Amino acid sequence: MASSASDSHSILQKLINNLSGDLRQLSTETKKKYPPIKEAAEACNMKLREYSTMKDNLSTVMRDASVDLLQPFVLGCDTKQVKIVQLCLTSIQKLLQHHIVNQASAATIVNVLSALCELQTEELKILQTVLLLVNTTSVVVHNTLATLFVITFRLCFSKDPTIVNTSTAAVRQLVTAVYDRVKEEDAQYASSGDQFNQEADLSKQQQQLQYNADTLRPYARDAYLLFQDLCYLINGEQPIWLVGLTEITRTLILELIETILTGYAPIFHRHNEFRYLLKERVSPLIIKLFSPGAKHSNPNSNLSSGSNSNTTYDNAYFPLIARLLRVVCILIRFYFTLLITECEIFLSLLIKLLEPDKPVWQRSLAIECIHKIIIQQNLIELFCLSYDMQPHASKILRDLTNAISSYVQSYFNSIPISSNSSTTSGQANATNAASSDKKSSGTSTGSKLDNSNASNLANGAAGSSNTVLFAYRNSVVPQYVTYTQGQAKAVYVENWEKFDCPLIPDSYGIVVAYACMLELVRAVQSIIEGSGMRGDTIAGTQLRTSGQLRPLDSLTDAERHECVEVVNCTWSSVLVTFTLLYDVCYDDTTCELLLRGFQTYISLCGMLGMNVQRDAFVTCLCKMALPPQYNIHLLSKQQNSEQQQQQSLLQKLTARTSADGSGGGDFERQQVVIIGTPLPLLNSTPATNQTAVMLTSKNIHCMRTLLSVAHCYGGILGTSWHLILTTLQHLVWIIGFKPSTGGTLKHVGTIANTDAAPMANSSAVVTTAAMADLPILSSMLSRLFESSVYLDDVALHHLIDALIRLSIESMEVAIIVREPSLFAIAKILETGRANLNRIGVWWKPISSHLLDVCQHTNPRMREWGTEALTSLVRNALEYKYEQSLFDNERLLHMIILSLHELSLIQHFDVRQKQLEATLSILTNNGPTLQTGWPIILNIIGSITREHNDSLIRQAQQCLQLVVTDFLSTIPICYLGILIKVVAKFGFQEQDLNIALSAIGLLWNMTDYLFRMKEQEHQLKNVNDYLDPNEIYDNLTAIEELWMILYRKLSELTIDQRPAIRKSASSTLFTMITSHGQLLSTGAWSILIWQVLFPLFEQVEQFFYTASKEREQQQQQMSKSSTGGQEILMHHSRDTPEKQWAETYVMILAGVTRTVQVKKDFLAKLDDFPRVWNVLLTNIEKSALAKNPEIALAALKSFNDLVNVPASSSSSSQSPKKPLSSHDQQLWQQAWQVWLNIGNGCSRCPPERIIIIDRYDSNIPSQNFLTFYIDIFPNLITHIWSCDFIQNEKHFEQFATIIERVLAVPIHSDMALFLIPTDVNLTLLQESAYKAMEFVYRNLKVELTKSSNASALLPIVFKRLLVLVLYAINPPVFDCTEQIKKISINKQQSNGKTSDSNVNFVPFSEKILRMTVNFYEDLADNPAVIENGTLQTIIQTLQIPLSMKYNCPSSSTWKLAIECFFRVLKVGLVVARKHRNAFESMWTELAKTFDDFLFSKSVPPADIPIEEIQRDEAIDCQTIELIRDDILPYTNVLPESFITKILNILNRGSIYSCATDNFIDIDSARRLREEFSKICFETLLKYSFINEPSSTSDNVVITRLALSSMLNRCKEILQKYAHDERLHGKCPLPRSDNLEPVVGAVNHNHNSLTPFSPRTAEMISVLKALSTLIGALKRAPKDSVEIAIWHQLIALYPCLVECTTSPSQQICNAIKDTLHQYFSLLTPPPSVR
């Protein structure tokens, strides 16, 4: 503060110094002429010196003495000397600048200035001083102030223009200063709480202040009086306060009033006195001043720009009207609430000025004023509230907007259609202008630009570039002024310097009107949406959701009514104007702004629920987006009368524009960017569909706007969605967008650099200019539907309903066209994907509609419908909901059920998409499906016979994935459904491999069920998902699942395809075997009686009814599948019957195996005997079936059933321990079945004709019989101890079966393979042998334990010996009729016919060995002894031994003699011990020896000598047996037997010939020398026994032996000599009756002469005699009876008689014999 005071003091000191200087100069100038002035100056100077010494309050002291300080200068001004006056005014100004003045001194100064003004002296200095008085001080008030105004106003009429301009400015400054004081004064009193002059009753206050303003404060009073006098002056009345002012211009007064009203509106609103002035002075004044303009108007003047009025009227009234309009504009803008009634008049005047009969300049000024008014958004609301919403008031807002709209329409309606010549020139000029506009060059010239356009724009427009905004009929509207939003540029109204009427282009008003409409839209938007809306935020520039808009729910009814009324007053005008302007718009920015206006009103109408108005804007927007005269009736909706009127105008404008377009210039012809074809409609013709339609850049721009509207205001569009989407669908079709994955649209068309017609394939042609827009449009289309996520539920339903309606229309069209529009379906997909968070809101309508689409006949429509539905299902399942979808069972089922409903549609492409979606769902959501599994499984299982292979494969992939990867995640209660679904794939017939794999999946499920045993408690509700016939009361849940599994497999087992039956049956029985232990007895009972046995019956029925012929269809299919070559099927499966036979076999084996494996468990069943009986019955029936495969399989099954695995593999071990009576009964049944099968298969066929061909035979095969016999050891084990060995009948039946089975003929084509060699047995024989061996071995073991089985021994030996004889006499099949032999191969092999029987020799030989072994082991068994078993064996062996070389095989008799030796070795010992039991045996034994040693059979001719020698050795062994084992025991043997034995030896000793084949030159080799020798030796051994120790029996043997031999020799010799004499020289005949004598030998081995039988016999006899004589000589003395010697000597004459034989050999033999007689000529000494 000290520093500020010191600074002020120093300034005043400088002022004193300056004033002192001025006073000295003034004194100098006036000292001669004006001494008083000099004195006053000196006096004043003295005071200043005095003041200079003061330090405190200097400013106040000087201000108080200001009158004295001014005195010298006032006197100086009175001198009228210019130099002195200038000096004095300068000093006065210095005092004023330093505020050294008070009210008195101010009045003095004003008087001085007034005097100088009268003298017109120093006018400029006067003005400067006036301004200092007012601006630097506030002491000039009241009359003093009025005098200053008078001085200034007078100076305005100075002759010097500078003074005039300065004074005019000074007046404005004075006015401003006066009113600034009022503001300060009001502010001062307002801060102190003074509410002076603020009365409540305005009407009373106005009445009180009509003639008195003294109640106002000082400054306010001065302002009031000043404003009042200005009103008086402009009205031609005398001023009250400005006394002395007689002249002033109206324009200046209006400008001052405008300044006051503009800058100091708060004063008028604060003080009622000022309000009074407005109502009672200003408003009437303005109304009055407008009347001359109206009176002198020229309605007949041409309204075109070329005929602008340049008359005196226009020049005279233009400044006044312009200023009046500015005042009117100010009054409306700032004082509307004070002058509501008056503003109504003002607005009506403005509206009237826009009428077509007004001059262009008036209309232009009026539209500028309206623009200034409209930019104030609150006024629009006030207009509506004050006028339009009042019942009896004018509809000012409606009229105002209609006036603007009419103004625009009138301009374009007044443009004439140009002639051809003018059109041509106009096109050239307009083209230049358009080109410059498109290139943004900043200059433009049009053909119809107004005359003075360029000069006016240069003088009045703010830097306009003349860009063409609108073009119509070769007339263009340049952009005269560039407007900033919210700001007005009144080029002509605010041009104060213009006093002459300018030449205004008539198109200028269109630009302003266009700006007015934009501001009107902005104002309406601000009113409705609230002040929160930024001024630069235009609809469509950003995504705006319903949440971002002003919440209308918070509005009161009055506020809502107000908003609705504002829109009602403006929408029609905006709609018509914007539509018209857009049609003629040429500038892209302008188009953008117009379209934003559409967006704004659509949003506002939608928010307010004004559906008719909203739809009108949407309809127009849609119409503008489509090509002109497009064949879609978007405007056919119901409309109210007002909308119909507006629409009628729109249609007229559109029609006119289209009609004039053909003759218009390039301004009207927008750039064509896309050429395409229209979307086919129901009522369109093919020619119409091929007509080219063109889209311009404006159409594309409008399309983008339409997308923005839908994108930003979808929540309020309501039913307008259908209009928008229909339009977008048509545009998308024309452009060539096609839906792609996910519903997005991609362009499919042709790119062209020039405009071209569509191609023949109707693909769109897109110019290069539009290529950049296509991705944007595609993106916007996608974002539009993606942003639906922000819509509320109601709005979303409107959108979905519109899409569905659109899709239904497309479906109707798709019936008659090949390529339908897929826009609606694609966008339904996008909409659904975007709104998955509230899927419950929209799922049902969308899914229901898509299901209808999926059934459409058009493939493309159906494909996309399916794609949309499946995609939505997949996306819905993958979406992350707040509550897990899989916890929301209702929603989950709703989603998946839609996918399941596709199963009802039979189109393959639909099912393919369904299965693809199912596979995707399983892959992505399989582990979490939970309760959705039943539906998914039913989808997979919805396969039918009509489905092709690919569908089946797809479904199988899904199923494979389920069973492989998700089986453990499926709730156990759904496994029953899964089992049935898997089985369904086994039933399908399209793909065999899939059916087989389905069976494999069932097997996989069995393992899973087996592991689920511990989780059985989770299966409580499994019955809820089963059919009633699948539920059993006595089963657990897990058992019910097993039953389903078994039942399905059993059903698959009777499938028509053999491979399926085979696989299913194998799986079924493997499953039962592996996991059957999980079942209870009740479950087993159900399994057996309701699954297995019925299955067997069904298969049996199918087998017996199957065709035996090969199917022709099958052959054709095989032939076609191999390119014409027939596939050869194996003969065993080439008919349905054979194929079913295979299944029959598998089922029988499976059932049997099941019973066999689970027998111990099944035995617990109450009805197990019945099960056993049924099974055996089926086995028996099957074994006796005519089909060999079934029969053989039945035997295998039977074998499996009875073959109980033992701890040891040895078959020779003893049978198991005795069974219970229950088990005995079961095995007795099995034994009886075995017997029945044996009897049945070995019985002659009923037809008595045997067919033994392999392929068509009515008797069993060897393989079958082999298997049958093989069953015996396994079966008999079970009943051996308890029944078999105790019942001879059983073995008799068994043996009989063996015998009959061995007699069954062999199939002809298998005979060569089955006939054994000499050492090998057939399989059947081997089995029969093993069966007998089994009995033999087990019987031996049994005999070691007890003697109970002894009774069975004789029968066993008897049956075995029967089989032994098969080597001699093969069995004969018991069939008396003929045997029909069918042979495939008629050729014979190795000379053997196809009917050759089986060789039983090896079999019989093995049986013989076994029999002998058996006898050797049991020879001393009482039963064997008592029943004559040895005799039976000897009798049996007698047959092959007697036949010898006549046996079928030489090995037979050789084995027989070998066994004979072995039997006798053991048997003779036993026989000697038990002589009584063997009395009848000896005769048979002797006969056997005789038949064998002297067999009637002869060796074959080709037998080698070695073989004969071996055979002779066997004979010698027989003699040795007699010699060693019989003859030594003659004392215990019957004499008759001994006699026969000796006769045998006697015969052997002289036996010479073994064959009658004497043609052989080597016949001598056949003589049995060794045999004869051993016979003689044996005879002699027992003939020369005269020892004392010899018994009488030995003597008898010797006598009998020698006597018999000698008698035999004598007989032969005598007979030969007799025959020789009778025949003379002829040789003796060959006699067959002669019994050959074994032992004759040809001593001349080199002789080649063959022997006759008689010669050989003689030689044999002679040789025997020689041997006998030699033996007798060597015998001990007295050992030979004398009678023997006499008999021997008696032969001598006979020998002599034979010496005459012509045979040299006989003669030689006689010679040798006679030489032996030499010793006999002299008796021995003992005899002497």
Side-chain angles (χ1 to χ4, degrees), residues 380-389 397 562 565-566 569:
I380 303 299
E381 183 178 5
L382 291 174
F383 292 167
C384 183
L385 290 172
S386 303
Y387 308 126
D388 295 75
M389 294 181 65
L397 181 58
E562 174 190 345
E565 190 62 30
V566 169
C569 293

Side-chain angles (χ1 to χ4, degrees), residues 1330-1532:
K1330 289 180 179 179
M1332 286 296 185
E1333 186 182 30
F1334 177 85
V1335 175
Y1336 152 62
R1337 293 183 181 278
N1338 285 279
L1339 192 58
K1340 280 178 57 178
V1341 174
E1342 194 68 29
L1343 288 173
T1344 60
K1345 299 177 181 179
S1346 65
S1347 59
N1348 295 334
S1350 299
L1352 197 62
L1353 292 176
I1355 302 174
V1356 172
F1357 279 108
K1358 179 180 178 181
R1359 289 297 184 176
L1360 287 174
L1361 293 174
V1362 171
L1363 298 178
V1364 168
L1365 294 178
Y1366 281 3
I1368 307 301
N1369 297 313
V1372 178
F1373 191 56
D1374 184 17
C1375 194
T1376 58
E1377 300 295 334
Q1378 60 179 339
I1379 297 178
K1380 182 179 180 182
K1381 303 172 185 178
I1382 302 175
S1383 177
I1384 301 300
N1385 187 1
K1386 298 299 183 181
Q1387 297 180 356
Q1388 304 301 324
S1389 175
N1390 299 326
K1392 295 183 178 180
T1393 60
S1394 60
D1395 59 346
S1396 297
N1397 207 339
V1398 179
N1399 185 4
F1400 284 93
V1401 172
F1403 170 73
S1404 296
E1405 291 177 355
K1406 290 195 71 173
I1407 293 294
L1408 178 57
R1409 290 189 181 96
M1410 182 178 66
T1411 306
V1412 171
N1413 293 335
F1414 195 21
Y1415 180 77
E1416 289 176 345
D1417 297 335
L1418 302 174
D1420 56 351
N1421 187 282
V1424 174
I1425 296 172
E1426 294 172 1
N1427 288 278
T1429 300
L1430 180 59
Q1431 181 179 352
T1432 306
I1433 294 175
I1434 292 173
Q1435 291 175 347
T1436 303
L1437 293 177
Q1438 179 186 1
I1439 297 173
L1441 291 177
S1442 62
M1443 293 180 63
K1444 201 170 185 179
Y1445 293 110
N1446 290 335
C1447 288
S1449 173
S1450 61
S1451 62
T1452 303
W1453 68 266
K1454 292 178 181 179
L1455 178 62
I1457 192 61
E1458 177 185 353
C1459 294
F1460 183 67
F1461 293 160
R1462 292 172 56 192
V1463 169
L1464 290 181
K1465 286 288 184 180
V1466 177
L1468 289 176
V1469 175
V1470 177
R1472 290 195 295 268
K1473 293 180 180 180
H1474 307 278
R1475 285 180 292 180
N1476 296 331
F1478 293 91
E1479 292 179 354
S1480 61
M1481 180 200 70
W1482 303 109
T1483 304
E1484 295 295 334
L1485 180 59
K1487 186 175 184 303
T1488 301
F1489 279 127
D1490 184 67
D1491 291 343
F1492 171 71
L1493 293 175
F1494 307 105
S1495 175
K1496 296 180 181 180
S1497 64
V1498 295
D1502 56 350
I1503 186 171
I1505 187 63
E1506 294 81 2
E1507 186 69 23
I1508 292 178
Q1509 292 174 354
R1510 286 193 291 271
D1511 294 346
E1512 185 179 358
I1514 294 174
D1515 294 341
C1516 295
Q1517 291 178 6
T1518 306
I1519 299 301
E1520 291 175 354
L1521 175 68
I1522 295 174
R1523 182 189 64 190
D1524 298 336
D1525 295 327
I1526 296 178
L1527 293 179
Y1529 305 100
T1530 55
N1531 55 339
V1532 295

Side-chain angles (χ1 to χ4, degrees), residues 564 567-568 571-572 575 601-602 604-620 635 637-647 650 716-720 723:
V564 171
V567 175
N568 272 329
W571 76 269
S572 59
L575 176 63
Y601 259 83
I602 290 172
L604 299 179
C605 294
M607 288 163 52
L608 296 172
M610 304 173 67
N611 296 338
V612 175
Q613 292 80 355
R614 177 202 63 203
D615 291 347
F617 279 94
V618 172
T619 302
C620 290
L635 309 177
K637 297 173 64 66
Q638 294 294 330
Q639 301 166 338
N640 56 28
S641 59
E642 183 179 10
Q643 187 178 1
Q644 289 177 355
Q645 293 175 1
Q646 302 296 341
Q647 191 59 57
L650 286 175
I716 55 178
L717 287 177
T719 56
S720 296
L723 280 172

Side-chain angles (χ1 to χ4, degrees), residues 19-155:
L19 289 177
S20 297
D22 292 340
L23 289 173
R24 285 193 297 272
Q25 185 179 358
L26 179 60
S27 175
T28 303
E29 293 292 335
T30 58
K31 65 181 180 178
K32 294 181 180 180
K33 293 184 179 181
Y34 306 103
I37 298 177
K38 176 180 177 294
E39 292 176 357
E42 292 176 351
C44 184
N45 198 5
M46 291 298 291
K47 289 183 179 181
L48 290 176
R49 289 192 187 99
E50 182 181 352
Y51 296 155
S52 63
T53 60
M54 296 179 61
K55 294 182 179 181
D56 297 327
N57 300 322
L58 180 57
S59 176
T60 304
V61 172
M62 292 180 66
R63 189 178 298 112
D64 293 339
S66 60
V67 176
D68 296 335
L69 293 176
L70 286 173
Q71 184 63 32
F73 302 117
V74 172
L75 293 175
C77 290
D78 291 338
T79 63
K80 301 180 183 180
Q81 296 293 324
V82 175
K83 186 176 181 180
I84 297 174
V85 171
Q86 289 179 350
L87 177 60
C88 293
L89 289 178
T90 299
S91 299
I92 292 173
Q93 290 175 2
K94 291 178 180 180
L95 290 172
L96 292 176
Q97 289 174 354
H98 291 81
H99 307 289
I100 307 301
V101 65
N102 54 22
Q103 192 169 2
S105 59
T108 303
I109 296 172
V110 171
N111 291 332
V112 171
L113 294 176
S114 177
L116 292 175
C117 181
E118 292 292 339
L119 297 174
Q120 298 182 355
T121 303
E122 293 296 332
E123 293 176 340
L124 188 57
K125 283 286 187 181
I126 293 172
L127 291 174
Q128 294 176 352
T129 307
V130 167
L131 292 177
L132 285 173
L133 275 172
V134 177
N135 292 331
T136 58
T137 66
S138 57
V139 296
V140 181
V141 294
H142 307 316
N143 293 332
T144 305
L145 181 59
T147 303
L148 278 179
F149 273 103
V150 172
I151 294 171
T152 309
F153 280 124
R154 286 178 178 175
L155 291 176

Side-chain angles (χ1 to χ4, degrees), residues 537-761:
T537 302
I538 302 300
T541 59
Q542 64 176 8
L543 177 63
R544 299 175 61 214
T545 67
S546 58
Q548 292 172 293
L549 301 176
R550 182 182 180 185
L552 297 182
D553 295 339
S554 63
L555 297 179
T556 62
D557 293 341
E559 290 174 335
R560 181 180 291 275
H561 179 61
E562 174 190 345
C563 295
V564 171
E565 190 62 30
V566 169
V567 175
N568 272 329
C569 293
T570 57
W571 76 269
S572 59
S573 301
V574 172
L575 176 63
V576 174
T577 305
F578 277 22
T579 304
L580 176 59
L581 291 178
Y582 190 81
D583 286 339
V584 299
C585 184
Y586 197 75
D587 177 61
D588 291 342
T589 304
T590 306
C591 289
E592 175 69 21
L593 294 175
L594 291 171
L595 293 175
R596 288 181 181 179
F598 273 97
Q599 295 182 61
T600 301
Y601 259 83
I602 290 172
S603 67
L604 299 179
C605 294
M607 288 163 52
L608 296 172
M610 304 173 67
N611 296 338
V612 175
Q613 292 80 355
R614 177 202 63 203
D615 291 347
F617 279 94
V618 172
T619 302
C620 290
L621 192 59
C622 294
K623 185 67 177 178
M624 292 186 298
L626 292 168
Q629 299 179 342
Y630 191 67
N631 61 342
I632 177 174
H633 304 288
L634 291 176
L635 309 177
S636 60
K637 297 173 64 66
Q638 294 294 330
Q639 301 166 338
N640 56 28
S641 59
E642 183 179 10
Q643 187 178 1
Q644 289 177 355
Q645 293 175 1
Q646 302 296 341
Q647 191 59 57
S648 176
L649 176 59
L650 286 175
Q651 292 174 347
K652 291 179 181 179
L653 286 174
T654 304
R656 183 176 68 250
T657 302
S658 302
D660 297 342
S662 59
D666 290 339
F667 280 111
E668 296 176 80
R669 196 179 298 160
Q670 293 291 326
Q671 181 185 11
V672 176
V673 293
I674 297 175
I675 304 176
T677 55
L679 176 67
L681 300 175
L682 282 175
N683 56 355
S684 61
T685 61
T688 305
N689 295 336
Q690 295 300 323
T691 304
V693 292
M694 294 173 286
L695 292 178
T696 64
S697 57
K698 287 173 63 176
N699 294 131
I700 300 300
H701 199 172
C702 198
M703 178 183 178
R704 295 177 66 172
T705 303
L706 198 60
L707 288 170
S708 296
V709 168
H711 179 68
C712 300
Y713 305 110
I716 55 178
L717 287 177
T719 56
S720 296
W721 271 111
H722 185 252
L723 280 172
I724 294 175
L725 294 178
T726 302
T727 304
L728 290 177
Q729 177 180 238
H730 283 262
L731 291 171
V732 163
W733 181 271
I734 296 171
I735 294 173
F737 281 132
K738 300 296 181 183
S740 61
T741 304
T744 58
L745 299 176
K746 293 184 179 179
H747 179 256
V748 179
T750 304
I751 302 175
N753 293 325
T754 59
D755 296 343
M759 299 176 66
N761 59 359

Side-chain angles (χ1 to χ4, degrees), residues 680-959:
L681 300 175
L682 282 175
N683 56 355
S684 61
T685 61
T688 305
N689 295 336
Q690 295 300 323
T691 304
V693 292
M694 294 173 286
L695 292 178
T696 64
S697 57
K698 287 173 63 176
N699 294 131
I700 300 300
H701 199 172
C702 198
M703 178 183 178
R704 295 177 66 172
T705 303
L706 198 60
L707 288 170
S708 296
V709 168
H711 179 68
C712 300
Y713 305 110
I716 55 178
L717 287 177
T719 56
S720 296
W721 271 111
H722 185 252
L723 280 172
I724 294 175
L725 294 178
T726 302
T727 304
L728 290 177
Q729 177 180 238
H730 283 262
L731 291 171
V732 163
W733 181 271
I734 296 171
I735 294 173
F737 281 132
K738 300 296 181 183
S740 61
T741 304
T744 58
L745 299 176
K746 293 184 179 179
H747 179 256
V748 179
T750 304
I751 302 175
N753 293 325
T754 59
D755 296 343
M759 299 176 66
N761 59 359
S762 299
S763 62
V765 179
V766 183
T767 61
T768 306
M771 282 307 299
D773 289 333
L774 297 183
I776 299 174
L777 291 174
S778 177
S779 177
M780 292 180 70
L781 281 166
S782 296
R783 288 202 310 270
L784 167 60
F785 296 94
E786 291 170 359
S787 64
S788 61
V789 68
Y790 300 108
L791 301 178
D792 57 22
D793 293 348
V794 176
L796 181 62
H797 270 296
H798 282 297
L799 171 59
I800 292 173
D801 181 67
L803 286 171
I804 292 175
R805 287 178 57 193
L806 198 62
S807 177
I808 293 174
E809 295 171 2
S810 298
M811 290 172 63
E812 294 174 354
V813 177
I815 298 176
I816 59 176
V817 299
R818 178 180 301 177
E819 189 68 20
S821 173
L822 304 173
F823 172 82
I825 298 177
K827 296 311 168 184
I828 286 175
L829 172 58
E830 280 193 320
T831 304
R833 294 175 64 182
N835 292 274
L836 292 175
N837 59 324
R838 45 178 172 171
I839 189 172
V841 175
W842 54 266
W843 183 262
K844 287 186 178 180
I846 284 184
S847 60
S848 177
H849 172 69
L850 290 178
L851 285 171
D852 293 339
V853 176
C854 294
Q855 303 179 57
H856 201 277
T857 56
N858 189 291
R860 285 284 292 164
M861 181 70 69
R862 190 170 61 244
E863 174 190 357
W864 266 95
T866 311
E867 174 67 23
L869 182 58
T870 55
S871 296
L872 287 176
V873 172
R874 290 197 301 267
N875 294 331
L877 293 177
E878 294 173 3
Y879 186 78
K880 304 300 182 184
Y881 300 90
E882 293 181 1
Q883 178 188 2
S884 176
L885 175 64
F886 305 103
D887 295 334
N888 189 345
E889 182 175 345
R890 184 194 64 82
L891 181 59
L892 177 63
H893 287 187
M894 180 180 70
I895 295 172
I896 305 181
L897 278 174
S898 299
L899 186 64
H900 178 260
E901 291 181 11
L902 291 178
S903 304
L904 303 177
I905 301 174
Q906 297 302 319
H907 297 290
F908 290 164
D909 52 348
V910 175
R911 296 304 309 278
Q912 184 176 4
K913 290 283 186 182
Q914 179 198 33
L915 292 174
E916 289 175 357
T918 304
L919 182 61
S920 176
I921 291 171
L922 290 173
T923 303
N924 299 326
N925 309 102
T928 54
L929 280 176
Q930 299 302 323
T931 58
W933 274 112
I935 305 174
I936 291 294
L937 294 177
N938 288 329
I939 292 174
I940 298 174
S942 299
I943 55 176
T944 62
R945 294 179 179 271
E946 292 76 16
H947 290 168
N948 55 24
D949 296 347
S950 62
L951 287 179
I952 300 298
R953 282 192 291 271
Q954 279 187 318
Q956 193 269 344
Q957 289 178 1
C958 299
L959 184 64

